[in-house]
Amino acid sequence: MPSITRNLALTAVPAAVLVALLPPLTADAVPGPTDTTRPLTWSACEGTGPDPRQQCATLQVPLDHADPDGEQISLALSRVPAEDGRARRGALFLIPGGPGGSSLGDPSGKGQKLPQEVRDQYDLIGFAPRGLAPSTAVDCALEPGDLALTKLRPWPAPDGSIDENQATAERMAGTCARNGGALIRHISTRDNARDLDRVRAALGERKISAWGVSYGTYVGAVYSQMFPHRTDRIVLDSIDNPDPARVARAWLAGHEQGVEDVFPHFAAWASAPDNPDRVAEKAAGVRPLFLRLAARLDREPIPWPGADPDELNGNVLRQTMLDSLYRPGRYPALAKLMLAAGEGTVPPAPAGPPEEVAQNVTAVGVGTLCNDVEWPRSAAVYEKGVAESRARYPLTAGMPRNVMPCAAWPYPPREAPTRITGRGPSNVLLVQNERDVATPLGGALKMREALGRRAVMVTVNATGHDSYLADGNVCGDRTVSRFLATGERPHRDTYCR
């Protein structure tokens, strides 16, 4: 899944009974922003990192959009103004991945990779989504051990058991329910879409354009469904499966095929004769070598002082594999770990984020994934899925269908997930790498099918997560840039070699 940064499981809280009695919200039932929203006050951003042209502001939005005059929370915003006022078209929202990602630095970061004709026309708008610091922040105060990647990605035990995963899920869900406050219940993709429309109104824009990446493609699609006539030019890059019955469960399951799509590319690289991190003489030998190493580490973990967890076991190797396949520049990390494990040693322990950051990002991820859709409660559903997945996709060892905290989330969804359809203006351009471990092509094609006549899709012959301006594919980059600058799209779906 884009980066599912955090997840979890089952505890009953009295407030959940009250939520269950409330009627589900619909888009029509939730008051929208008025375009008389108080204008934003822009000022210099704190710190020395941003481009000096980047400005920052804070916007107050409702904690609960169904109660627009109730408690308010803050959203941190940033912008770099259009570089040619005479050519200015409007605002281009840079929608981050995640859930748990921020685009606050993007106007002066990746936004500056945009071609001049795009930067001339658009104010580049970044933001930290609700719950993510420096916006009003949420924190579950989880046990530090539950922040380890092998806990957040629920890898089964070596024998396929998910008992420990279930216990972790229940513990994390209960802790979030106790410590997350009211905000943890009001973090969802539909809340994010309504927040974006509040930002649009505060900017004084009738319509917005957007470049959404990874989870940001789902946010962009949901916004385009909820507010179709507020959209101008929408680019969805590295695309999530919009399946309304599963939502994030579909994203997690997508890792099975995503790994299968990308691992052969890694194997070719890892067996190249001139590679200093070569792990095998032939590409065909890399997969069985990886599986043997993982199985051996399942039986005989290697102590790894300073790492989290403090041993190199089979699931740590598998998690490193998943992380490393996000883009070819990360391949050496996996190869070096495989080489070290083969010799019974470990490389230096990788540095993790500060605990405060990990806690915040985890809470945002948990809130979003669990509030977007109801997950199955039965352990048998996950046990069956894990067994099937392990048999068919041994590289991912059952993780993509495993139990997560959402299986024990005490709050039912406050409204149904958004069903993406072809109703609305035909102004969406999809761009997708052919080999993407996080948002595989199969899921992107589901979004293409759902959007129907609204969209055209560009498939790029490239490997890695993120496509536009990330891979050096001239055809793909030129096609997206032309659309943002002129509104021109290919007449039909396109393949870029």
Side-chain angles (χ1 to χ4, degrees):
M1 154 155 56
S3 292
I4 297 191
T5 327
R6 321 297 182 207
N7 325 72
L8 336 100
L10 173 79
T11 313
V13 178
V17 178
L18 299 177
V19 175
L21 297 176
L22 295 175
L25 296 173
T26 65
D28 293 337
V30 177
T34 67
D35 286 354
T36 57
T37 301
R38 181 179 300 175
L40 295 165
T41 300
W42 296 97
S43 60
C45 299
E46 296 182 2
T48 57
D51 185 306
R53 296 172 300 168
Q54 181 167 304
Q55 304 165 330
C56 289
T58 300
L59 175 68
Q60 298 297 305
V61 299
L63 170 70
D64 180 354
H65 282 279
D67 183 15
D69 297 322
E71 182 179 349
Q72 305 289 298
I73 59 174
S74 65
L75 293 182
L77 311 176
S78 62
R79 75 170 179 183
V80 169
E83 295 182 24
D84 184 349
R86 295 169 299 177
R88 185 184 182 280
R89 179 178 181 84
L92 178 66
F93 282 38
L94 307 176
I95 308 179
S102 170
S103 63
L104 270 181
D106 286 354
S108 57
K110 77 173 190 177
Q112 296 309 303
K113 296 181 181 179
L114 291 162
Q116 188 66 51
E117 61 266 32
V118 175
R119 288 183 282 117
D120 283 345
Q121 294 186 51
Y122 295 99
D123 295 346
L124 305 180
I125 306 298
F127 60 96
R130 62 168 49 211
L132 189 70
S135 296
T136 300
V138 67
D139 188 336
C140 288
L142 295 168
E143 297 178 13
D146 286 339
L147 300 174
L149 284 175
T150 49
K151 292 289 186 68
L152 301 170
R153 306 270 189 171
W155 296 93
D159 64 357
S161 169
I162 66 169
D163 291 346
E164 183 179 346
N165 304 130
Q166 288 180 288
T168 298
E170 292 170 9
R171 182 174 62 250
M172 292 178 71
T175 303
C176 269
R178 288 191 301 274
N179 301 328
L183 182 52
I184 196 69
R185 298 174 58 187
H186 293 278
I187 296 177
S188 71
T189 300
R190 287 176 66 86
D191 285 320
N192 288 334
R194 294 185 179 107
D195 287 346
L196 292 187
D197 208 51
R198 289 269 173 174
V199 177
R200 175 203 59 77
L203 291 170
E205 299 290 342
R206 189 171 63 88
K207 296 183 178 183
I208 63 168
S209 295
W211 173 15
V213 178
S214 193
Y215 167 67
T217 64
Y218 185 60
V219 177
V222 169
Y223 181 88
S224 298
Q225 189 71 39
M226 294 175 67
F227 306 99
H229 300 295
R230 297 296 192 187
T231 60
D232 187 12
R233 297 170 183 170
I234 305 297
V235 173
L236 305 183
D237 172 0
S238 305
I239 305 152
D240 274 330
N241 184 340
D243 182 348
R246 297 186 297 162
V247 192
R249 287 182 64 218
W251 308 341
L252 189 67
H255 285 312
E256 295 171 334
Q257 189 59 52
V259 166
E260 294 294 333
D261 291 345
V262 178
F263 197 90
H265 190 266
F266 166 74
W269 172 90
S271 58
D274 59 348
N275 185 349
D277 298 315
R278 189 183 191 194
V279 303
E281 293 186 0
K282 295 183 179 180
V286 177
R287 182 187 180 103
L289 172 62
F290 176 87
L291 293 173
R292 287 196 304 271
L293 284 172
R296 193 182 81 191
L297 291 169
D298 283 338
R299 298 187 302 270
E300 302 171 5
I302 302 172
W304 201 356
D308 187 12
D310 59 0
E311 66 177 21
L312 173 56
N313 56 40
N315 284 339
V316 170
L317 181 67
R318 296 180 183 102
Q319 180 63 51
T320 303
M321 177 267 295
L322 184 60
D323 294 341
S324 298
L325 296 188
Y326 265 64
R327 51 185 56 92
R330 296 183 182 178
Y331 288 177
L334 175 57
K336 291 179 190 299
L337 190 60
M338 290 176 65
L339 291 168
E343 297 176 356
T345 63
V346 291
E355 183 177 335
E356 180 181 3
V357 173
Q359 289 280 7
N360 182 213
V361 172
T362 298
V364 173
V366 169
T368 306
L369 302 184
C370 300
N371 291 330
D372 268 1
V373 68
E374 189 161 10
W375 291 52
R377 298 276 169 165
S378 169
V381 171
Y382 300 100
E383 290 169 346
K384 180 175 183 290
V386 164
E388 292 175 350
S389 184
R390 284 168 61 85
R392 187 173 179 184
Y393 301 98
L395 286 172
T396 44
M399 182 277 289
R401 300 193 210 179
N402 204 354
V403 63
M404 298 178 74
C406 303
W409 197 238
Y411 308 119
R414 300 182 66 252
E415 51 188 329
T418 300
R419 181 176 294 276
I420 304 302
T421 73
R423 294 190 297 272
S426 183
N427 61 355
V428 182
L429 182 64
L430 309 178
V431 59
Q432 173 70 37
N433 283 350
E434 196 167 13
R435 296 169 296 280
D436 183 336
V437 72
T439 55
L441 179 60
L445 290 171
K446 296 292 186 182
M447 179 72 82
R448 173 68 188 92
E449 180 182 6
L451 284 167
R453 58 167 291 279
R454 294 198 68 182
V456 172
M457 182 165 171
V458 179
T459 303
V460 178
N461 179 15
T463 302
H465 188 50
D466 295 0
S467 182
Y468 179 46
L469 303 180
D471 302 311
N473 185 286
V474 174
C475 166
D477 291 350
R478 182 175 58 229
T479 302
V480 177
S481 294
R482 182 187 303 119
F483 172 62
L484 288 174
T486 70
E488 179 185 345
R489 296 182 306 180
H491 295 301
R492 59 182 63 85
D493 292 354
T494 300
Y495 182 75
C496 282
R497 296 188 183 278

